[in-house]
Amino acid sequence: MTIPGRAPSLGEAAAYDKAAITQTLAQCALLKGLSDQEVAEVADLAHARAFPAQTDIFAEGEPCRALWILASGRVRLYHSAADGRQQVVSFRSPVMSLELGPALDGRAFTATATALDDVVMVIIPRATLLTIEQRFPTTVRNVIDQLCQELRQRDISTAVASLKDARGRIGCALLQLAFQYGAPSGNGLRIAYRLTRQDVADISGVTLETAIRALSDMQRQGIIRTQAQIIEIVDVDGLRGPTQCDDCQFDCSVFVPSRRNGTH
DNA sequence: TCATTAACCGTCG
DNA sequence: CGACGGTTAATGA
């Protein structure tokens, strides 16, 4: 898979024109099957907006008025608790939609979205989604496919969260990140993404110290290697041991992308 | 600010 | 009881 490109500067983002929007939309799974001409028509109904790194794009609970598609940069989707703890729902990379469900039903966002880099979003107002659906019926099927996939991932996440212990959850998180951001590196996979220990903890639903303990153990066992917040999975199979992927009974589409690669 | 370690403590199987 | 994991504190990079 390709690694998300560097975030453009704000200047570039400001210059995000129709051609750039069209190019983004052309890669978006929701518009799969449309001709170039048709994608360009959709692009006419969309606009772009830039967000600097570390700013919120929208917050949990706010009404959703548009479909948000990530054109460049990375976004963290998460729930936050009053005590400062966060539960990361997912990291989004180009060209994914954020919060497709709320975009469709118009109800509140279910999570907060924060830009991790300078980010460009392509925005399609909800009012025009109906037009697009009617004009291009293929998109309805695409939306269903996408929703099903998201539902699957959430389902797996909740199962993992409730059935696995801390090590299993952390291992699961690492494998998922490797799937999303992993670049081949020697025998293993390098998660091409700076992650603090706190990030790993927030994804896995454990405390910082537990995340450190687990990662240190894995490092001692030679399963992973870390340097400057970059985690490299040296021994992918070794990670599946503590993660207990072997008797994982979920059809884990998280780790088996589009093709049929067999289950893990 | 981030990472690490260690001591301590409560829960649960 | 003992493993697990959260809490707290101290320390170093």
Side-chain angles (χ1 to χ4, degrees):
Chain A
M1 85 186 291
T2 53
I3 300 170
R6 311 266 331 146
S9 72
L10 290 180
E12 286 173 86
Y16 217 79
D17 58 8
K18 187 190 162 192
I21 292 175
T22 304
Q23 207 202 338
T24 295
L25 292 178
Q27 300 169 57
C28 182
L30 296 174
L31 299 185
K32 196 177 60 181
L34 268 59
S35 70
D36 291 349
Q37 174 56 39
E38 290 170 331
V39 172
E41 285 181 41
V42 175
D44 281 332
L45 304 172
H47 61 280
R49 190 170 152 197
F51 293 85
Q54 311 304 327
T55 56
D56 279 2
I57 296 168
F58 51 71
E60 179 173 358
E62 288 176 7
C64 173
R65 305 183 200 288
L67 172 63
W68 294 76
I69 297 168
L70 179 56
S72 70
R74 297 167 311 198
V75 170
R76 174 209 281 255
L77 271 183
Y78 62 96
H79 302 292
S80 48
D83 63 4
R85 289 178 48 122
Q86 296 186 344
Q87 172 64 53
V88 170
V89 176
S90 79
F91 289 102
R92 313 300 269 173
S93 42
V95 178
M96 302 171 103
S97 56
L98 315 181
E99 293 274 87
L100 181 56
L104 295 174
D105 70 14
R107 299 178 58 196
F109 289 111
T110 64
T112 301
T114 296
L116 295 171
D117 313 301
D118 290 345
V119 149
V120 176
M121 301 298 308
V122 168
I123 301 161
I124 303 177
R126 266 178 47 70
T128 65
L129 287 180
L130 191 61
T131 311
I132 294 171
E133 271 173 32
Q134 288 169 345
R135 174 101 174 70
F136 310 112
T138 308
T139 59
V140 177
R141 186 65 230 178
N142 290 341
V143 163
I144 292 172
D145 288 345
Q146 191 68 33
L147 271 180
C148 287
Q149 189 188 320
E150 288 184 17
L151 185 57
R152 254 180 135 66
Q153 296 208 357
R154 302 270 181 132
D155 181 55
I156 291 165
S157 295
T158 57
V160 165
S162 60
L163 295 180
K164 287 184 187 293
D165 60 12
R167 282 187 161 60
R169 296 205 295 274
I170 291 165
C172 221
L174 291 182
L175 287 171
Q176 182 177 151
L177 287 164
F179 162 67
Q180 190 172 2
Y181 296 107
S185 156
N187 291 331
L189 283 170
R190 202 171 48 89
I191 299 173
Y193 190 145
R194 278 170 58 102
L195 283 173
T196 66
R197 298 291 189 255
Q198 184 69 61
D199 285 331
V200 174
D202 289 342
I203 300 165
S204 310
V206 299
T207 60
L208 169 63
E209 288 76 11
T210 297
I212 289 172
R213 273 201 282 235
L215 290 175
S216 296
D217 284 350
M218 292 176 189
Q219 210 159 353
R220 266 189 289 275
Q221 293 163 26
I223 294 171
I224 63 171
R225 204 182 310 156
T226 71
Q227 26 132 23
Q229 297 182 330
I230 298 287
I231 299 173
E232 180 182 345
I233 302 175
V234 180
D235 180 1
V236 176
D237 291 330
L239 186 54
R240 294 186 176 182
T243 308
Q244 294 172 330
C245 274
D246 292 334
D247 36 308
C248 186
Q249 40 209 339
F250 317 117
D251 177 18
C252 200
S253 55
V254 175
F255 310 131
V256 185
S258 33
R259 321 281 164 268
R260 202 68 200 141
N261 261 352
T263 52
H264 66 288

